[in-house]
Each structure stands twice: as C-alpha cells, then as structure tokens.
Amino acid sequence: MATQTLARPSRTTPAAPARRSRKKFPVARVAATAVVAVFAVIWLVPFAWATATALKSETEAAATPISWVPASGFTFDAFAKVLSEGNIPLWTWNSLFTSAAITAITLAISALAAYALSRIEFRGKKLLMGAIIGSIIIPPPVLMIPLFYQMLSLHLIDTYWAIILPQVIAPAMVFVLKKFFDQIPRELEDAARVDGAGRLRIFWLIVLPLSRPILAAVAIFVFIGAWNNFLWPFIATNDSSLLTLPVGLQTIKSAYGIQYAQNMASALLAALPLIVVFLFFQRQIVKGISTTGLAGT
Amino acid sequence: MSTSAIQRRTEVRAHDAGAPPLRRAAGKRRDTLHGWGFAAPFLAFFLVFLVWPLVYGAYMSLTGKSLTGANGTLIGLANYAEAFGDADMWRSMGNTVYFTVISTVPLVLVALALAALVNLGLPAQWLWRLSFFAPYLLASTVVSLFFTWMFNPQLGLINDFLAAFSIAPVAWLNDPNVAMWSIVIATLWWTVGFNFLLYLAAMQNIPQQHYEAASLDGAGSWRKFFSITLPQLNPTTALIVMLQILASLKVFDQIYQMTAGGPAGSTRSIVQYIFETGFTGYRLGYSSAISFIFFGLIVVLSIGQFFVTRKRSA
C-alpha cells in the first residue's frame, strides 16, 4: 500500500473536490478553515509559551501573575547560560553521530537483506522472511533488560556502540524495501546480467539508484526514531559526555530544578535541529513518514 | 505483488528449461549462497542483538538472577507465579491498559477529524501539516519539559487560562485522578500529527471519481464523508488503531519524565515497572518474567488483530 503512493504520484490531486465544494459551500469551507486554524493555534501554544519563558529572566519566569511579555523586557540570558555552562552542544553532537551511524548501518544491511528476499530464490528464504516479519511484533522494552546485561558483559555500556548496535535492526524497514524492490522491472537487471554484471554490481548500479525515494523515506524514518529515542540510550549510557540530547535533557531537569527559563531554553535548543530540518525538507519528510508509517502491513 | 510473483515463477521456469540440469543445480547452489550472503550482515545483527537477548531474557525469567550477577540458578516458573500475585504488577498493567484506552480514542478521532477538515482543500496545506506534525519531531524529554511547565499549578499557562473562566486551579500532575488524563493531553499534542499524516495520505489516495459520481447524485460534503471517505478509509483506520494500541501499551517516556509514575503509583506503566524491578530493584530475573508477561499480552493482541482484519477483508 505504501509503495503505491510512490509509484503513482500523478494521482494526488487533493484540491479537486474542494474546488467543487468551494462554489457550493463557501460557509462550510470558511467554518472548516476556522476550526483547523483554532486547532493549529492550540498546537503552537506550547512552543510559543516555551519561547516566551526562555526569553525571560529567571525571576520574571517565576513571577505571578504570569504574563507573555515580561516587564523588564526579553533577554537571551537563559540561552547564553545554558549554552556556556551546559553540555547541550556536546549532546547534540552525540545525537547527530549516533543517529547518523544508526541510519547508515540500518540502510545498508536492510537494503541488502531486502534485495535477497526480493530477487534471489534461495533455500531457507521463507524461514528468514517469517522470522523477520514475526520479529516486528517484539516490543523493544521486552529486550531492554537482557540487552543491558549483554552490553554489560561485552563491556560496551557507556560507549557509542551500546547506543548504536541494538538500534540498527529494523525488520519493518526490510519489509518496506523488499516491497519496493519487488516493483522494479526485472528487465532492467537482465540487460546488465547479459553484460556479465554480478549480483552485487547490479544491486549497486541499478537497483539502488532506482530506489532513491524509498531509501530516503526509510532514512528519514530511522533517523527521526534514533534521534528521539529515549529509553535505550537512557539505559545504555551514564557518562554525561556520552549522553544523547533526549537523555541529557532529563538530567538537566533534575539538575536545574525550578530554573524555568533555562529549562525552556534547553528544551528549545534540543528541539531546534529537527524542526529546522523539517522546515527545509517538509515535502520529503511528510512523504517519507506517509510511506513508511504503515510499515509491516 | 501477486503479478510479480507470477512473473518471477514463469521467468524461473523459462530459465530452467533452457539450462542443462547440472548447471541448474549449480545455479541453485549459487543462489542459496548469494541469498544468505546478501542477508548475512542484517542476519548477524538480528541474531546477536534481537534473537539472543530474546532467548536470554526468556532464560533469565526462569532464574533468580540479580543485577550483581548473583543467584543465577534456575528456579522454574517461580518468577511468573510471583508476578501473577504481585499487586503492583497488576496495578501497572491496569494503568497501562487504562492509558491505552483513553489515549487511543482521541489520538485516532482527532487525527481523523483534522485530516478530513484539511483534506477539504483548505488553503496553506503546508501550514496545517507543519503545526500538527511538528511536535512529533520532538524528543519525549522536550515534550515533558514543555508540558510540566504548562501544567504547573501556580505558574502554568493552562490554569491561568482556566482562571479567566473562573475555573479553580487543577493539580494536573499531582492529583491521582487527573494525572493520567494530563499525560494523555501531552501525548495527544505530541503524536497526533503522525496519525494525521497517515490519514491525510490515505484520503488523498481515494480516487476522485467516487466523489464526482456522488456529486452528480447530489451528495453534500457530510454525505460524501460518511458514504465514501470513511468506508474507503476502513483498512487505514484498522491499521492506525492497531499501531496506536501497540504504541500506547509501550508508554514509558513521558510518564517517567512528567510524574515518575506518581502520584502514588497512579500513572506507573508496565514498562516502568519492568524498568524499576530491573534497574532499581536489581531483580533481572523477575523483571524479565514481567517483560514476557507483557510480551504475551502484545502477541495475543496482534494475533487477535490479524484475525479481525483478515475476516473484514475476506
């Protein structure tokens, strides 16, 4: 179902029925816009309130009655303090590095496995396919205790490896990629095969370039998941210099306590990278989420 | 998919027919080698970091193992027996199911309503998508910081807003009767955009001819929504509901961060209970047993869902 969207982009004309109803029901359209706009404003309030708080002094942030605009004016003190004293730049780097590594490894191993499942007839294929599909229902929290013990035995706790290694297994993504590969015409590969190209070469030179949209979609999905993952990195790391952003923020909360402006400044700084990326690549991200979101179905 | 399978089969047959039997056998052996070769990197990670912990977790659940490494001897099903008699386990399980029910309903309905409205062809589609989906890109800790602040009894924006309507301050995260609902509000804000996007994509895939035909018959917007959009979305809705139930059952982050399971254990989820028995209580064996009880619940639900959706599509 997901891949159909990619294969037939020409059919997405959402505005067509609307134009019809625009003439007939201008009132309904205005009402719909108003309702959606109200929801959108409600949805933006937490961001706005966090920003207003982060731009206050600590005293103003904790003053009653509460107000959006502080009497003494806005200040960047909280941001400056958090950036100079805290570990946020380091945690951002940790998040970026581990998420990029997870995404790269996941893409590589999943695409190779998906190609085998899509194109090669081999003994034990059904068993492998069954195991991969079956494993989709295993909830990660079920594995956290034994995984922690395993990492402890391997002396990997408090290393990047502990964060990265267990997160590269994405059975649902293997399945998504396989479904996409299934739709690539085999004739394209046959031509290369006649020219004497081996499987790996065909995979690299023909299949992968044709699969860019789905690879991007999977990469986006995996990256966002890894960037925001909390539970596993929280278990796998203790050393403050190795924490990812989400885990680091948790320690800030307990360390700063009631310093509201600094709490909000930290939260906003942590939110910033993905929000900025989203502003630039909205179309691709939305498409990526829509195509991989129902994965495993 | 079925056509490609047929294609593949006929291709294989044509290929086989032309080749002498010996070469065919060699080709098969080569294919097996290539197949496992391509799958090998994934398989290695899969076996070491998924299958092995699963097996080892099952084994640990039969031992009295502690985090210090002591008491690794087999004790049979004693952990499971203890878990089934453990009031805290049942309470956490109950909280989790409660959260799942009261979060899944709004997370599906609000997503559907917003997607239906936006799909009417409103102007500035990107703006709505941005507003509703942006929170999904935030880490749980960011969401928890935002909402702990919004829910603050004295300084919070929500109580301040309610005061304008002379509504008494609510102890959002400190009242055992309210706390879970507060978690649901934060969760709705955080993740509804994901379901919203899935619904929007599915709606945009409904063939326009359906709507055009209905328009010719004089159907209005409401009628079209209930007679065309909603039935066409049935498979999507079934999937979203199932994915949401599974996601909600796994709830941990925002609860742990906002209430730490309190007040008085009223929001402690089963994953948090597993986490605490393992890492705070040091009882790895017992904690593994609860993990597998939780896993069992998920498996039963998934199998149930499989039969329900299969019956519906048959």
Side-chain angles (χ1 to χ4, degrees), chain A residues 165-243:
Chain A
L165 293 175
Q167 288 195 69
V168 303
I169 310 154
M173 295 302 119
V174 175
F175 200 61
V176 166
L177 289 166
K178 180 210 175 280
K179 279 212 283 196
F180 189 89
F181 294 162
D182 282 344
Q183 293 191 339
I184 299 176
R186 284 158 170 266
E187 293 75 39
L188 296 170
E189 293 172 58
D190 290 341
R193 195 165 297 130
V194 170
D195 291 344
R199 278 223 161 93
L200 211 51
R201 226 176 128 75
I202 291 173
F203 171 71
W204 183 255
L205 290 177
I206 296 174
V207 177
L208 280 191
L210 286 171
S211 308
R212 266 193 208 129
I214 197 72
L215 292 172
V218 170
I220 286 165
F221 197 76
V222 172
F223 187 89
I224 294 175
W227 179 275
N228 284 336
N229 193 359
F230 175 76
L231 182 53
W232 176 247
F234 183 52
I235 293 170
T237 47
N238 230 331
D239 181 344
S240 177
S241 66
L242 282 167
L243 303 184

Side-chain angles (χ1 to χ4, degrees), chain B residues 135-204:
Chain B
Y136 183 77
L137 296 168
L138 304 180
S140 54
T141 6
V142 174
V143 176
S144 297
L145 278 169
F146 280 5
F147 273 84
T148 307
W149 180 222
M150 301 263 298
F151 283 140
N152 186 298
Q154 292 84 38
L155 301 166
L157 194 64
I158 300 182
N159 274 351
D160 186 64
F161 178 75
L162 294 180
F165 301 93
S166 308
I167 298 173
V170 178
W172 294 100
L173 297 171
N174 300 317
D175 180 341
N177 296 317
V178 181
M180 195 63 102
W181 290 93
S182 309
I183 302 281
V184 170
I185 292 172
T187 308
L188 179 69
W189 181 81
W190 182 25
T191 63
V192 77
F194 182 73
N195 294 346
F196 164 79
L197 274 195
L198 297 186
Y199 263 131
L200 201 58
M203 284 178 189
Q204 296 180 347

Side-chain angles (χ1 to χ4, degrees), chain A residues 91-191:
Chain A
W91 294 335
T92 308
W93 162 251
N94 290 341
S95 275
L96 189 66
F97 176 76
T98 55
S99 307
I102 289 165
T103 308
I105 300 174
T106 305
L107 266 190
I109 66 177
S110 305
L112 281 168
Y115 183 75
L117 293 174
S118 167
R119 283 297 197 272
I120 308 173
E121 294 305 321
F122 59 98
R123 197 183 287 251
K125 178 172 157 174
K126 281 207 177 112
L127 179 76
L128 182 61
M129 188 81 173
I132 292 175
I133 292 177
S135 69
I136 291 175
I137 66 165
I138 300 172
V142 166
L143 299 177
M144 71 183 168
I145 300 283
L147 259 181
F148 173 78
Y149 194 74
Q150 185 182 16
M151 290 295 162
L152 205 62
S153 316
L154 295 170
H155 302 289
L156 288 177
I157 290 295
D158 264 335
T159 65
Y160 284 139
W161 291 115
I163 301 174
I164 295 167
L165 293 175
Q167 288 195 69
V168 303
I169 310 154
M173 295 302 119
V174 175
F175 200 61
V176 166
L177 289 166
K178 180 210 175 280
K179 279 212 283 196
F180 189 89
F181 294 162
D182 282 344
Q183 293 191 339
I184 299 176
R186 284 158 170 266
E187 293 75 39
L188 296 170
E189 293 172 58
D190 290 341

